[in-house]
Amino acid sequence: MAYTLANLQDDIRNYTEVDDSVLSNTLLNTIIKNAENRIYRDADSDDNRFYATSALVSGNRYVTIPTDLRFIRYAQLTDSAGNQTFLEKKDTSFMAEYYSTPNTASGIPKYYGNWDAEFWVVSPTPNANFSITLAYVKQPISITSTTQPTTANPASTVGTYTSNKYQDLLLYACLVEAYGYLKGPADMLQYYEGSFKRALQSYAIEQQGRRRRDEYQDGAIRTPLKSESPSKY
């Protein structure tokens, strides 16, 4: 069954055997967010892939970073004729050496890189207006921020991709955070840490392996079977 925020909070309290006088909703929300962030940092998920289109302005080499960006996957430029090219990622020191007059419009950008927390930069400085598509991994929505169903509105959007499909992973991550906060028994903390890592491994195999394979091109995944030689008998 998919988790709602209330269900998840109840299970954390039940597993740790404490009530809301110790683990309040506010405290549990922080624990849940920390657990979600650990999952998102440890394993890439297709659910967090996002695309945004921006305009490169002639004479301006800076592009504003989307507010929900965690990291850039690739950048694709479209010129006035509709031709698309991928930009090559470089560090800013390389681009400073490659193009020493950044405030002068030069041509079609070839490189891009992270500039600071608010902007990324292209080089050379564009000499015309271009469209650029940014593929990136976004900051996921937390289950603590989703709309919960009510009696008046039972059809409200519930949960997140992780809470709806990978409940064990989310629960174990939360229990690790909860036992750490409670300074619980070391053996229980170790047990749930191990459970979390096993759930994370299977999640990563699915997200970064199976979902990105094509059976026709890559072949079906096969598990080697141990078979004794007939000559043995």
Side-chain angles (χ1 to χ4, degrees):
M1 183 183 71
Y3 267 133
T4 65
L5 177 59
N7 294 148
L8 180 57
Q9 290 173 335
D10 287 343
D11 272 3
I12 295 172
R13 293 189 182 106
N14 290 336
Y15 274 73
T16 56
E17 298 182 321
V18 298
D19 57 24
D20 57 6
S21 65
V22 178
L23 293 177
S24 65
N25 286 348
T26 300
L27 181 57
L28 279 181
N29 285 353
T30 300
I31 287 174
I32 292 169
K33 288 178 183 178
N34 289 343
E36 289 173 326
N37 281 327
R38 181 179 181 185
I39 294 170
Y40 302 144
R41 283 193 295 264
D42 286 351
D44 188 15
S45 167
D46 287 347
D47 178 59
N48 301 330
R49 293 186 168 201
F50 202 71
Y51 303 85
T53 301
S54 300
L56 281 178
V57 180
S58 177
N60 183 5
R61 63 180 182 142
Y62 298 100
V63 183
T64 302
I65 290 176
T67 56
D68 60 351
L69 180 143
R70 290 180 75 99
F71 60 85
I72 300 172
R73 293 172 47 233
Y74 65 83
Q76 187 179 42
L77 182 141
T78 304
D79 63 20
S80 57
N83 300 314
Q84 294 182 331
T85 57
F86 286 94
L87 302 185
E88 187 176 345
K89 190 169 187 178
K90 296 289 185 179
D91 57 55
T92 52
S93 60
F94 172 90
M95 289 190 284
E97 181 180 14
Y98 168 76
Y99 186 58
S100 59
T101 55
N103 296 323
T104 304
S106 175
I108 299 176
K110 183 177 180 181
Y111 304 108
Y112 81 97
N114 298 316
W115 183 256
D116 57 22
E118 296 182 4
F119 298 96
W120 55 289
V121 64
V122 298
S123 182
T125 303
N127 62 353
N129 297 336
F130 299 103
S131 175
I132 192 163
T133 298
L134 186 67
Y136 65 95
V137 171
K138 67 177 180 177
Q139 174 66 37
I141 298 173
S142 171
I143 191 176
T144 62
S145 302
T146 58
T147 303
Q148 300 301 306
T150 63
T151 302
N153 187 15
S156 297
T157 301
V158 181
T160 63
Y161 180 72
T162 306
S163 69
N164 289 333
K165 295 180 179 292
Y166 305 95
Q167 298 89 348
D168 58 334
L169 175 64
L170 180 58
L171 176 62
Y172 291 141
C174 290
L175 290 174
V176 171
E177 296 292 327
Y179 270 102
Y181 168 78
L182 295 170
K183 300 177 178 62
D187 59 336
M188 294 303 297
L189 180 59
Q190 183 178 6
Y191 171 79
Y192 285 120
E193 179 71 28
S195 298
F196 166 73
K197 288 182 178 179
R198 287 191 294 273
L200 179 68
Q201 183 180 34
S202 63
Y203 172 78
I205 289 172
E206 179 177 317
Q207 291 294 318
Q208 298 171 208
R210 292 175 178 172
R211 287 177 61 92
R212 299 180 189 177
R213 289 175 58 94
D214 181 278
E215 186 175 301
Y216 176 74
Q217 294 180 330
D218 301 318
I221 298 176
R222 294 177 173 85
T223 301
L225 298 178
K226 183 177 181 181
S227 178
E228 299 290 350
S229 172
S231 61
K232 180 179 179 180
Y233 301 98

